[in-house]
Amino acid sequence: MPRQATPLTDTKIKSLKPKADRYRVSDTGGLLLEVMTSGSKIWRYRYQLHGVRQPALTIGNYPEISLADARRQRDEWAALVAKGESPKRAVQAAKVEKLNTVSVFAEAWIAEQLPGKSESYQTTIRRILAKDVLPWLGGMPLADVKPADVLELCDRIKSRGSPKIALLTRNVLKRMYDFAIARGLVESNPAAALVARFIATEESRTRVLSEKEIGEVMRAVYASDIRRPLKLALHLLAVTMVRKAELTESTWSEIDLDAGIWDIPAERMKKDQPHRVYLSRQAKELLIELRALSGRSLYLFPSSRGEADRPISKSTLNQAVRALSLDVQHFVLHDFRRTASTHLHEMGFPSDAIEKALAHKIVGIKGVYNRAEYAEQRRTIMQAWADFVQAQIDGAKVIPLFKQA
């Protein structure tokens, strides 16, 4: 006759000490307590289904789950086993029920999938969910969302003049439902049923500012009423050829004014590769003035809101541009990079060096063996481009851009 387990008591449980290897102590009816080498204690339920030993199910940690609560859970699962039903499937069904609505599941998806992604990516995803997805679909059961619901949501977004946001929303929902399918929470992906091109097309922008327009934009910047640091930020964006977030989130520790270099770490770059910016004379003068304006902040462009030391938001520069009285049509900040590339190519500078200055990947053998990364050529390019921008600004009488000694 098999030996009967002695029921556990709280006193006995508290006396259990960790050992070199984890070990299990039985209660009754398949309930056992596993003592880990760290000292933590975990309730598990061991059972057979249709005469076959099954992997132990985890109930939870002691003392968060008391002895009495663990026994109640054991009894619930034992009742299922007695009827020939799987307690493991019951656990999975409970998880599905807990993550039933789009809103609740979206929170779980964000918590598991967004950590480790870039800050700009996380911000974009959260904004799309908060502004469009959750107000429209959040209260629906996850499995009840149909392609027609996603299409209606995308049509609503397009109706306000944002077709690309509509396409991005469809893509976010597709990724979210792929995640749900992989975990057995739903069987189909309503967003995947929608062909992307029927929502919107990812048209690449081709806007390049002419020489005249470069001068018009920059003169409008300095003639405006926006704060001086934002004027310097827009000027730096034009002459350094970096992306907006790479500038707004920059810290003084990345910049060596004496050496004339700015090293942007990989985690802040789009391609997850570190990037060095060679600072032109104009860029260094802008940074010297900015240093005095930023005070003791770690950031080049500290936020004026709140007491915490943090950078301005990525939308701040967009708002500054919208405040300008520009005669330049269809201009966005990212056009600075394309404009620089186009004019530098027309000046006859090497394409590979220009691509490196823009932090673009060079494919093929040149990219593999490019150890020096065209350092001297890039220094020359950055100074030539800053001089070019300055020449366009000087095409008309404007207030001095740099303080005179």
Side-chain angles (χ1 to χ4, degrees):
M1 185 173 180
R3 184 173 61 88
Q4 296 294 317
T6 303
L8 290 173
T9 63
D10 281 310
T11 301
K12 174 66 181 297
I13 293 172
K14 291 175 182 177
S15 70
L16 297 174
K17 304 299 181 184
K19 299 180 181 179
D21 297 311
R22 62 183 180 179
Y23 63 96
R24 291 176 171 179
V25 179
S26 296
D27 181 53
T28 55
L31 180 65
L32 52 88
L33 190 68
E34 187 167 3
V35 182
M36 313 302 286
T37 57
S38 63
S40 61
K41 300 165 184 177
I42 304 173
W43 292 112
R44 305 197 193 277
Y45 174 60
R46 187 168 51 195
Y47 67 102
Q48 292 185 3
L49 187 63
H50 306 303
V52 179
R53 174 62 60 86
Q54 303 295 318
L57 285 177
T58 299
I59 298 175
N61 285 22
Y62 177 90
E64 287 83 358
I65 295 179
S66 67
L67 174 59
D69 289 338
R71 285 173 174 166
R72 276 192 288 271
Q73 183 63 78
R74 172 205 61 192
D75 292 343
E76 289 181 16
W77 286 345
L80 292 174
V81 172
K83 294 188 292 184
E85 298 177 8
S86 169
K88 181 178 180 181
R89 290 195 175 183
V91 171
Q92 292 172 336
K95 288 182 179 179
V96 172
E97 181 66 25
K98 183 178 179 181
L99 299 173
N100 183 39
T101 65
V102 172
S103 179
V104 174
F105 178 75
E107 291 182 12
W109 179 69
I110 286 173
E112 185 161 339
Q113 292 295 293
L114 291 197
K117 304 292 186 182
S118 69
E119 184 177 343
S120 60
Y121 177 84
Q122 293 191 42
T123 299
T124 298
I125 298 301
R126 291 179 188 277
R127 183 183 297 120
I128 286 172
L129 289 170
K131 183 177 181 180
D132 293 309
V133 174
L134 299 185
W136 188 250
L137 303 176
M140 294 182 65
L142 196 64
D144 287 357
V145 177
K146 307 300 181 188
D149 298 314
V150 179
L151 181 59
E152 187 173 1
L153 170 60
C154 292
D155 285 343
R156 286 168 59 89
I157 298 171
K158 287 164 63 177
S159 68
R160 67 171 188 247
S162 303
K164 292 184 180 179
I165 295 298
L167 179 59
L168 188 54
T169 299
R170 174 265 187 190
N171 293 343
V172 169
L173 281 168
K174 182 178 181 298
R175 289 194 288 271
M176 194 171 80
Y177 268 88
D178 283 342
F179 183 82
I181 290 172
R183 280 146 187 78
L185 301 178
V186 294
E187 295 182 354
S188 62
N189 189 326
L194 303 180
V195 180
R197 68 177 181 273
F198 293 155
I199 298 174
T201 56
E202 288 277 19
E203 298 175 357
S204 60
R205 287 183 55 87
T206 58
R207 184 72 165 94
V208 173
L209 297 177
S210 66
E211 297 179 20
K212 179 182 177 182
E213 288 175 329
I214 294 172
E216 290 176 352
V217 169
M218 294 310 304
R219 287 194 295 274
V221 167
Y222 282 99
S224 72
D225 293 330
I226 63 175
R227 293 184 292 117
R228 182 70 179 181
L230 299 184
K231 296 179 181 181
L232 302 181
L234 292 169
H235 199 164
L236 279 168
L237 200 63
V239 299
T240 59
M241 297 156 49
V242 297
R243 298 177 180 88
K244 181 176 57 180
E246 294 160 7
L247 177 68
T248 58
E249 297 173 5
S250 56
T251 63
W252 288 109
S253 62
E254 299 170 3
I255 293 174
D256 186 338
L257 284 173
D258 293 332
I261 57 175
W262 170 18
D263 285 321
I264 307 175
E267 59 268 21
R268 293 207 307 103
M269 293 298 298
K270 183 177 180 180
K271 301 297 183 181
D272 295 322
Q273 293 293 327
H275 177 57
R276 170 165 289 185
V277 178
Y278 294 95
L279 299 172
S280 63
R281 181 185 69 258
Q282 290 90 339
K284 287 192 284 186
E285 291 179 7
L286 290 165
L287 288 166
I288 289 171
E289 180 178 351
L290 193 62
R291 172 79 273 190
L293 295 174
S294 64
R296 297 182 179 180
S297 174
L298 298 174
Y299 298 97
L300 274 66
F301 304 99
S303 173
S304 58
R305 298 180 179 180
E307 298 181 357
D309 191 9
R310 54 191 176 88
I312 59 174
S313 70
K314 287 179 283 294
S315 64
T316 301
L317 295 187
N318 291 335
Q319 295 167 0
V321 169
R322 285 195 290 270
L324 304 178
S325 298
L326 285 179
D327 291 329
V328 179
Q329 296 297 312
H330 309 299
F331 165 70
V332 297
L333 290 176
H334 196 74
D335 295 339
F336 276 142
R337 284 168 55 82
R338 190 180 307 101
T339 296
S341 176
T342 299
H343 287 287
L344 287 168
H345 276 96
E346 290 177 353
M347 293 178 204
F349 287 103
S351 180
D352 290 345
I354 295 172
E355 293 302 296
K356 276 294 181 182
L358 289 163
H360 288 164
K361 183 178 180 180
I362 298 177
V363 298
I365 196 70
K366 289 184 178 180
V368 174
Y369 291 103
N370 180 26
R371 295 179 184 272
E373 295 191 330
Y374 307 93
E376 290 307 313
Q377 289 180 335
R378 287 166 61 188
R379 285 185 185 277
T380 301
I381 284 173
M382 298 303 288
Q383 186 58 60
W385 177 242
D387 290 341
F388 181 87
V389 172
Q390 188 65 51
Q392 311 321 310
I393 297 173
D394 292 341
K397 292 182 180 180
V398 293
I399 60 173
L401 303 186
F402 307 116
K403 294 183 177 180
Q404 302 296 318

